Amino acid sequence: MAEAADVAVAAVSGEMSAADAEIEEMQKKVQEMEEEAEKLKKLTDSVEETVESIDREEVDKRSVYVGNVDYGATPEEVQEHFKSCGQINRITILVDRYSGSPKGFAYIEFENEQSVQNSLLLNGSLFRGRQLKVIQKRTNVPGWNMKGSKGKGKSKGKFKGKSPWGGPWMDPYWSYGYMPWRPPYKGGKGGKFSPY
């Protein structure tokens, strides 16, 4: 009986050592993963710092909008057309999100602002048989639409189909005898108004 107990204890200790080995191995993997996560965090922090250091307004000052670009144009052809203006950092030809076809305009980012002034001289030049429209890129202000009012979408229920003056007592034409036409009441006794 003592021998069986010793064998059981040895088996249990063998299982415990195997389980301990697995736990230690898992702890090592977790430690490696934490170290990798720390490295990635440092890397992303450094990238975010460089992105924050790039000022969008400063980049927009060095960029131009090019309109009426031929739909079959490649960035290399656009670069060839604008290379006399100065060093080009980036060319972006916008495409439709769903079909992938070009929208017919591009943005060109130059190395310096003097190149932008040189590129504005190419306004009206011919590129692949089309007259280009070259203007300096404007800086978008987030949250402002084209009309200059803040927000997007329709109004949040100011009038909802009512008179903008609030009713007849607020109507500026009420005192001048203006009365909106209403059809006569139909139904009831003898054409007279009777709600019952």
Side-chain angles (χ1 to χ4, degrees), residues 76-90:
E76 290 80 18
E77 292 172 334
V78 175
Q79 182 176 8
E80 187 67 28
H81 188 75
F82 283 91
K83 73 177 181 181
S84 63
C85 300
Q87 179 67 34
I88 296 174
N89 286 349
R90 176 178 30 194

Side-chain angles (χ1 to χ4, degrees), residues 102-172:
K103 289 187 174 184
F105 61 94
Y107 291 103
I108 302 175
E109 179 187 333
F110 290 98
E111 187 69 33
N112 55 33
E113 291 183 38
Q114 182 59 40
S115 300
V116 171
Q117 299 306 317
N118 295 340
S119 69
L120 294 177
L121 298 174
L122 290 177
N123 186 22
S125 64
L126 286 178
F127 175 69
R128 295 187 76 173
R130 300 181 80 165
Q131 191 174 7
L132 294 180
K133 177 183 179 183
V134 182
I135 57 173
Q136 189 160 2
K137 184 180 178 195
R138 64 179 175 83
T139 302
N140 285 335
V141 179
W144 291 87
N145 64 9
M146 300 265 299
K147 296 176 185 167
S149 62
K150 188 148 175 68
K152 294 184 179 180
K154 60 182 183 177
S155 66
K156 303 290 188 256
K158 287 186 181 178
F159 302 122
K160 292 190 178 182
K162 298 178 187 173
S163 168
W165 296 287
W169 56 89
M170 297 291 287
D171 192 345

Side-chain angles (χ1 to χ4, degrees), residues 169-185:
W169 56 89
M170 297 291 287
D171 192 345
Y173 302 108
W174 186 263
S175 61
Y176 299 111
Y178 171 76
M179 182 71 174
W181 181 82
R182 291 194 184 108
Y185 176 74

Side-chain angles (χ1 to χ4, degrees), residues 37-52:
E38 188 65 33
K39 288 179 187 176
L40 284 173
K41 187 174 187 288
K42 288 180 183 176
L43 185 64
T44 55
D45 287 345
S46 66
V47 169
E48 286 176 1
E49 289 173 3
T50 57
V51 168
E52 289 173 1

